Amino acid sequence: MTIAETLLGLLEPAPRHGYDLRREYDAQFGERRPVKPAQVYATLGRLARDGDIHVVSVEQVGGPERTTYALTPDGVTRLERWLTEPEAHTPYLQSVIFTKVILALRSGRPAERLLDAQRTAHVAAMRELLRRKSGADLTTVLSCDFTIFHLEADLRWLEHTAARLDKLAKELS
Amino acid sequence: MSEPLLHATGLHLAFGQTRALDGAGIEVRAGEMVALVGSSGSGKSTLLHCLAGILRPDSGEVVYRGARLDTLSEEARSRLRRDEFGFVFQFGSLVPELTAVENVALPLRLAGARRRGAEAKAREWLERLGVLDVAAKRPGEMSGGQGQRVAVARALVAGPRVVFADEPTGALDSFNGELVMEELMGAARAQGASVVLVTHETRIAAYADREIVLRDGRVTSPVVS
């Protein structure tokens, strides 16, 4: 997740302070990896330095100082560019599994057991996501779906590989 | 632990030179959802057909509620399928000449229910599955997703103890497939029915409580998650 652009997106509707932004970030996108407070404040500092946001006010009511930020026109341009740019394909877990399969076969270990164990773990994760989706709001459903379909792609690769293990072992021997 | 509702051991079945089942076995408990998975030709559909009494194995045993099912006469197996089991298939589950409500009422009518009562109950099921609006339509006038939901209603209307579903989402896109699975599993669970599901899609198999993996007509590793 690109924290800088995400914060710009969260700031676009109205000015907000860092604490508020962090709460919103975690509620919407931070289920698996909550953002650290220091990351939020450091990112806001960089965005202000680069002219993408500016300070609207600094308040202190009882607790620590709260700085409220707003988007600048440059910030809106940066956000718009980011929202329309396609994302590069990111490497998935299967590359690690691939490495394990090759190393297992090269060393004469049974790779089938590894694939079966991985499959079991993936299916269990998928079942848990299906449970979480049941009766959930659409945002949660779509977030779960994203992971479910990626798990499915991994599982297909596991099945294809399992069906070709003998040939692969010969090729590597 | 209680006796399984349905269990099979050492099933062998060949079609000519092709060995479809080569010692497969399975246990299904009351209310349990089990998915049979494996590549094409692994024997998963043949196993489902043997469990449901549609096919008779060459050897091995199928026991349902403590009694042999595979040795029953064709007539007795047919009665058992009508009274105890529900079915959802990938294609052609519905009678093309009948409307949705007549299709869903069919298992009740075959069991001797009067038309009015059977169709009232069928309408309740169509409503529950969100397809009451196609009650008067014939299968050719429905979308694939609507047709499969009608098929799910028909499979469950008579309160079966076991629902056999062979690739129930195979002809649907992923979104409609998911709706059908949620409805099938939700309704079966609410009725306490067991489900034996055949699918080649892991995402669909994950709706079941447990998976049985078949390879070359044998159960390789029952995966319990």
Side-chain angles (χ1 to χ4, degrees), chain B residues 123-134:
Chain B
R123 277 178 195 283
E124 281 172 26
W125 271 95
L126 289 172
E127 185 168 21
R128 184 166 171 179
L129 289 165
V131 279
L132 186 58
D133 52 330
V134 298

Side-chain angles (χ1 to χ4, degrees), chain B residues 55-137:
Chain B
L55 287 172
R56 204 198 286 261
D58 295 333
S59 62
E61 290 186 1
V62 180
V63 176
Y64 174 66
R65 298 180 72 194
R68 287 283 290 272
L69 180 155
D70 55 289
T71 51
L72 293 175
S73 67
E74 177 53 47
E75 194 191 342
R77 280 185 286 139
S78 175
R79 205 165 40 238
L80 188 69
R81 289 197 296 270
R82 188 193 68 199
D83 296 341
E84 303 270 322
F85 300 159
F87 294 91
V88 185
F89 296 111
Q90 181 175 357
F91 297 114
S93 286
L94 302 174
V95 182
E97 293 79 11
L98 300 182
T99 63
V101 75
E102 288 166 344
N103 261 292
V104 177
L106 194 60
L108 301 171
R109 298 278 288 139
L110 290 173
R114 298 178 79 90
R115 182 178 174 149
R116 209 163 156 177
E119 292 197 352
K121 197 164 179 198
R123 277 178 195 283
E124 281 172 26
W125 271 95
L126 289 172
E127 185 168 21
R128 184 166 171 179
L129 289 165
V131 279
L132 186 58
D133 52 330
V134 298
K137 290 189 175 172

Side-chain angles (χ1 to χ4, degrees), chain A residues 61-110:
Chain A
V61 189
E65 213 172 61
R66 282 188 173 174
T67 308
T68 299
Y69 296 93
L71 233 58
T72 63
D74 278 356
V76 174
T77 307
R78 178 172 169 180
L79 175 64
E80 277 174 352
R81 195 173 55 234
W82 181 69
L83 286 175
T84 52
E85 256 172 17
E87 287 298 310
H89 163 81
T90 48
Y92 297 119
L93 174 64
Q94 74 207 41
S95 62
V96 180
I97 306 170
F98 178 73
T99 308
K100 286 189 182 182
V101 169
I102 298 293
L103 289 177
L105 289 177
R106 278 174 54 159
S107 63
R109 290 183 171 90

Side-chain angles (χ1 to χ4, degrees), chain A residues 112 116 119-120 123-124 126-127 130 133 141 145 148-149 152 155 159 162, chain B residues 37 174 178 201-203 205-211 213 215 221 223 225:
Chain A
E112 198 164 22
D116 282 348
R119 183 191 152 80
T120 306
V123 173
M126 203 180 245
R127 196 166 286 143
L130 287 173
K133 267 174 69 172
V141 167
D145 277 348
I148 287 171
F149 286 115
E152 189 178 32
L155 282 161
E159 278 163 21
Chain B
V37 300
S174 68
E178 196 165 294
E201 290 181 86
T202 317
R203 189 168 43 82
Y207 279 91
D209 302 323
R210 184 160 72 91
E211 295 195 296
V213 183
R215 199 173 294 156
S221 50
V223 181
S225 310

Side-chain angles (χ1 to χ4, degrees), chain B:
Chain B
M1 196 177 275
S2 62
E3 278 294 297
L5 180 68
L6 178 63
H7 80 266
T9 45
L11 296 184
H12 289 82
L13 179 59
F15 299 111
Q17 295 297 308
T18 309
R19 208 180 285 178
L21 292 179
D22 191 17
I26 182 178
E27 282 190 8
V28 182
R29 297 188 178 276
E32 191 182 26
M33 318 272 172
V34 179
L36 307 180
V37 300
S39 54
S40 298
S42 60
K44 53 191 189 298
S45 282
T46 308
L47 176 57
L48 178 139
H49 283 78
C50 285
L51 294 172
I54 297 168
L55 287 172
R56 204 198 286 261
D58 295 333
S59 62
E61 290 186 1
V62 180
V63 176
Y64 174 66
R65 298 180 72 194
R68 287 283 290 272
L69 180 155
D70 55 289
T71 51
L72 293 175
S73 67
E74 177 53 47
E75 194 191 342
R77 280 185 286 139
S78 175
R79 205 165 40 238
L80 188 69
R81 289 197 296 270
R82 188 193 68 199
D83 296 341
E84 303 270 322
F85 300 159
F87 294 91
V88 185
F89 296 111
Q90 181 175 357
F91 297 114
S93 286
L94 302 174
V95 182
E97 293 79 11
L98 300 182
T99 63
V101 75
E102 288 166 344
N103 261 292
V104 177
L106 194 60
L108 301 171
R109 298 278 288 139
L110 290 173
R114 298 178 79 90
R115 182 178 174 149
R116 209 163 156 177
E119 292 197 352
K121 197 164 179 198
R123 277 178 195 283
E124 281 172 26
W125 271 95
L126 289 172
E127 185 168 21
R128 184 166 171 179
L129 289 165
V131 279
L132 186 58
D133 52 330
V134 298
K137 290 189 175 172
R138 291 188 169 77
E141 301 166 314
M142 302 173 207
S143 71
Q146 287 168 335
Q148 282 307 72
R149 270 176 271 180
V150 173
V152 169
R154 195 182 63 177
L156 287 158
V157 71
R161 287 180 198 268
V162 187
V163 176
F164 294 95
D166 192 354
E167 299 281 6
T169 63
L172 303 177
D173 59 65
S174 68
F175 182 65
N176 274 295
E178 196 165 294
L179 291 180
V180 165
M181 281 313 295
E182 277 172 9
E183 281 152 7
L184 170 62
M185 295 312 220
R189 221 178 274 282
Q191 296 220 117
S194 302
V195 175
V196 179
L197 165 74
V198 161
T199 180
H200 66 278
E201 290 181 86
T202 317
R203 189 168 43 82
I204 297 301
Y207 279 91
D209 302 323
R210 184 160 72 91
E211 295 195 296
I212 305 276
V213 183
L214 277 109
R215 199 173 294 156
D216 301 327
R218 282 188 295 267
V219 171
T220 57
S221 50
V223 181
V224 183
S225 310

Side-chain angles (χ1 to χ4, degrees), chain A residues 11-172:
Chain A
L11 263 179
E12 196 182 26
R16 303 167 90 159
H17 52 73
Y19 175 75
D20 205 16
L21 282 168
R22 186 168 69 85
R23 263 198 337 195
E24 172 79 13
Y25 184 104
D26 282 349
Q28 195 79 63
F29 309 113
E31 190 186 340
R32 293 192 149 205
R33 193 181 293 175
V35 66
K36 293 190 177 84
Q39 277 178 297
V40 173
Y41 296 114
T43 308
L44 288 171
R46 275 196 298 275
L47 287 169
R49 182 199 64 200
D50 296 344
D52 292 323
I53 59 175
H54 67 95
V55 176
V56 176
S57 64
V58 181
E59 288 172 52
Q60 189 162 23
V61 189
E65 213 172 61
R66 282 188 173 174
T67 308
T68 299
Y69 296 93
L71 233 58
T72 63
D74 278 356
V76 174
T77 307
R78 178 172 169 180
L79 175 64
E80 277 174 352
R81 195 173 55 234
W82 181 69
L83 286 175
T84 52
E85 256 172 17
E87 287 298 310
H89 163 81
T90 48
Y92 297 119
L93 174 64
Q94 74 207 41
S95 62
V96 180
I97 306 170
F98 178 73
T99 308
K100 286 189 182 182
V101 169
I102 298 293
L103 289 177
L105 289 177
R106 278 174 54 159
S107 63
R109 290 183 171 90
E112 198 164 22
R113 215 184 303 160
L114 154 70
L115 293 177
D116 282 348
Q118 192 63 57
R119 183 191 152 80
T120 306
H122 267 41
V123 173
M126 203 180 245
R127 196 166 286 143
E128 176 52 35
L129 286 161
L130 287 173
R131 263 196 287 270
R132 200 185 305 166
K133 267 174 69 172
S134 178
D137 58 68
L138 189 55
T139 310
T140 307
V141 167
L142 292 178
S143 163
C144 290
D145 277 348
F146 186 84
T147 314
I148 287 171
F149 286 115
H150 281 79
L151 283 171
E152 189 178 32
D154 277 359
L155 282 161
R156 279 194 196 174
W157 181 83
L158 290 171
E159 278 163 21
H160 275 251
T161 307
R164 290 166 176 77
L165 272 184
D166 291 348
K167 274 189 182 174
L168 185 61
K170 272 186 201 146
E171 195 175 292
L172 292 170

